[in-house]
Amino acid sequence: RWINKAPLGYRNKTTTDGQKYISQYDPEAFLIREVFEEIIKERFSLSEIHKQATSKGLKCSLSAFYRLVRNPIYCGQIKIPESENEKSKVINGLHTGIISVSLFERVQKILGGKNNSNFVKRKKVLNENFILRGILLCPICGKTLTASSSQGRNRKYYYYHCTGKCKYHIRTDYLNKSFLLFLQKEQIDVSFLKIGDDFLKEIDRGRREAYKSKKREIGKVMDRSIDRSLNAHQLFSTGKIDYDDYLLIKESCKTHLKICASELREQALKAGVDIYGKNGGGDIFSHLGDFYEISDVLTKQRIAKLFFPERVIADDNILNMLPEFIKEIFGIKLPKSPSTIEKIGNKEKINHFFKELSLYVFEQQLKGL
Ligand SMILES: [Zn+2]
């Protein structure tokens, strides 16, 4: 079943019994098929192919086009985004594809994309200089930029660069720095701070509850250990076990109780940190730049990914790269006011943004213990 707005090349339809589905729509679908077939010929760059397609009537911005050619919907599959419990995956949709799976996969290989679950991901070492790796697209040919270093005369230089013929590259420190500056300078619009605060409070509440039940649990275990010890004493004094056995049981109970007590202390300590309250967790949303700076590389990368959930064309002006919902969060004026569908979508993205961010704050606070 299809509940969202149909992607380009498709239109929403309803069967006579009210089932919603998407159906191919020509000439859009035809033009999109041509695009995929052109890519594997490797004659033109992606931006040139985009130009050709729009001149033939395909209504699609360049950045939307870069996403389009990576969307498995066109080979009949649907990408399920990452959720709390599951990694993102690709499943077969109920709709018919505009192109074959094999054509789609060949195109992905050419684009160097890793959207398809069939492609083996190369393991990459986390590097402070490459925070935005995997997020950026080449402004010339549309490939995903990778990152590497080169040895200059006096120092090493780090670049996000294209592996295509266009040789596009941009210094990583420029881009990384402008992202940091954005976080330091721009403030989350006050109207959104409450969403973030609510998530932090929810985490605090959840942890207090978890502590209470953990405390009960440990308490029961401790009771049993004490009973066992008393029981052993009883058995010894009535001559049913000998002294060595009694000592053995007594010692093991003592050690066990010690472990329980220290676990209880640890849990109490964790529950005692009110991330929203005293420790200023709520304040972090107003000082995102500071939080980002003290975060570890992995968290930095995850924060960057929150700002850029979809790949964007690299631009030396970070403002040109920001998706709409981020602009909304930071009270930056949008070029055009969003449609109702876009507004609902943005609201979801904003919620997800704050929920994830709250969890990162929580993780960092726990690390500080
Ligand atoms: Zn390129």
Side-chain angles (χ1 to χ4, degrees):
R1 256 195 62 184
W2 192 265
I3 41 168
N4 300 321
K5 186 172 178 284
L8 208 61
Y10 290 94
R11 286 294 181 274
N12 291 98
K13 291 271 176 69
T14 311
T15 61
T16 43
D17 58 349
Q19 290 279 348
K20 291 200 165 57
Y21 70 105
I22 57 170
S23 137
Q24 281 187 32
Y25 179 77
D26 280 317
E28 271 176 22
F30 174 77
L31 290 173
I32 288 169
R33 188 180 313 119
E34 268 194 349
V35 163
F36 281 99
E37 282 163 356
E38 189 57 58
I39 293 171
I40 56 162
K41 289 179 190 154
E42 295 193 75
R43 296 190 301 178
F44 302 106
S45 76
L46 213 48
S47 60
E48 284 167 326
I49 297 174
H50 170 252
K51 226 176 264 167
Q52 292 164 5
T54 49
S55 74
K56 287 179 195 164
L58 191 72
K59 287 197 176 66
C60 183
S61 72
L62 184 59
S63 56
F65 185 75
Y66 285 169
R67 284 198 293 276
L68 181 150
V69 295
R70 290 181 168 83
N71 192 343
I73 200 111
Y74 295 110
C75 67
Q77 299 180 330
I78 293 172
K79 189 180 175 196
I80 309 286
E82 197 172 54
S83 69
E84 263 174 49
N85 316 314
E86 274 189 277
K87 286 188 171 173
S88 76
K89 60 178 175 185
V90 175
I91 59 163
N92 286 323
L94 295 174
H95 65 288
T96 41
I98 289 174
I99 57 163
S100 68
V101 174
S102 70
L103 174 58
F104 179 77
E105 285 179 351
R106 279 166 69 196
V107 166
Q108 300 317 302
K109 260 184 202 153
I110 289 167
L111 297 177
K114 296 175 192 70
N115 271 358
N116 197 299
S117 57
N118 295 335
F119 294 135
V120 183
K121 280 188 183 176
R122 257 174 296 161
K123 274 209 170 157
K124 282 182 176 158
V125 191
L126 285 176
N127 183 322
E128 177 94 51
N129 297 293
F130 301 153
I131 298 287
L132 300 173
R133 174 158 62 187
I135 288 173
L136 306 168
L137 293 172
C138 173
I140 299 167
C141 75
K143 281 191 181 181
T144 305
L145 298 186
T146 182
S148 64
S149 63
S150 78
Q151 186 61 51
R153 190 182 294 243
N154 300 312
R155 52 167 285 199
K156 251 185 173 175
Y157 292 95
Y158 297 91
Y159 297 96
Y160 297 116
H161 65 87
C162 183
T163 53
K165 291 190 196 98
C166 69
K167 302 247 167 47
Y168 173 84
H169 58 277
I170 183 166
R171 285 260 298 268
T172 67
D173 49 346
Y174 292 164
L175 265 187
N176 297 351
K177 181 90 187 167
S178 70
F179 182 52
L180 175 64
L181 279 177
F182 173 82
L183 294 177
Q184 285 170 336
K185 268 201 232 144
E186 299 296 327
Q187 289 282 325
I188 290 179
D189 194 275
V190 279
S191 58
F192 290 109
L193 286 177
K194 196 183 169 308
I195 303 179
D197 286 355
D198 285 348
F199 277 120
L200 284 183
K201 284 177 188 161
E202 197 181 302
I203 293 173
D204 277 338
R205 242 194 329 272
R207 285 163 67 224
R208 274 196 296 275
E209 286 306 313
Y211 170 64
K212 271 189 217 154
S213 78
K214 192 88 198 164
K215 196 173 146 192
R216 272 197 298 274
E217 203 179 290
I218 296 175
K220 272 184 204 156
V221 174
M222 287 172 97
D223 280 349
R224 272 204 297 278
S225 213
I226 293 167
D227 280 349
R228 213 173 132 232
S229 178
L230 288 174
N231 195 28
H233 185 255
Q234 186 84 21
L235 291 173
F236 168 63
S237 53
T238 54
K240 284 182 181 132
I241 56 171
D242 60 29
Y243 187 65
D244 284 349
D245 283 342
Y246 165 61
L247 271 191
L248 217 61
I249 296 170
K250 203 179 135 196
E251 273 313 302
S252 97
C253 288
K254 219 165 126 186
T255 323
H256 189 222
L257 279 173
K258 246 190 206 158
I259 294 169
C260 287
S262 87
E263 196 184 335
L264 202 57
R265 248 200 318 278
E266 199 181 307
Q267 294 292 336
L269 201 61
K270 279 185 187 173
V273 186
D274 218 337
I275 54 170
Y276 174 72
K278 290 189 287 288
N279 288 278
D283 217 32
I284 279 172
F285 294 125
S286 334
H287 298 93
L288 213 48
D290 296 343
F291 175 65
Y292 178 80
E293 256 196 309
I294 58 154
S295 292
D296 54 58
V297 183
L298 180 66
T299 306
K300 277 183 180 156
Q301 210 172 45
R302 285 150 89 205
I303 293 173
K305 201 88 178 102
L306 279 185
F307 278 77
F308 305 105
E310 280 173 347
R311 279 178 254 215
V312 285
I313 299 169
D315 195 308
D316 40 24
N317 182 357
I318 198 97
L319 291 178
N320 293 337
M321 289 172 42
L322 294 174
E324 270 192 13
F325 78 94
I326 292 292
K327 287 187 177 163
E328 214 178 313
I329 291 174
F330 286 87
I332 299 167
K333 212 174 165 339
L334 300 176
K336 61 172 178 65
S337 65
S339 70
T340 314
I341 290 184
E342 284 166 339
K343 268 186 202 155
I344 295 169
N346 284 351
K347 209 178 156 193
E348 259 170 44
K349 287 177 192 165
I350 289 169
N351 259 318
H352 177 257
F353 175 89
F354 280 109
K355 192 175 175 186
E356 286 292 304
L357 200 56
S358 305
L359 288 172
Y360 303 163
V361 172
F362 168 54
E363 279 176 16
Q364 293 294 315
Q365 301 261 5
L366 280 192
K367 258 187 219 159
L369 284 181

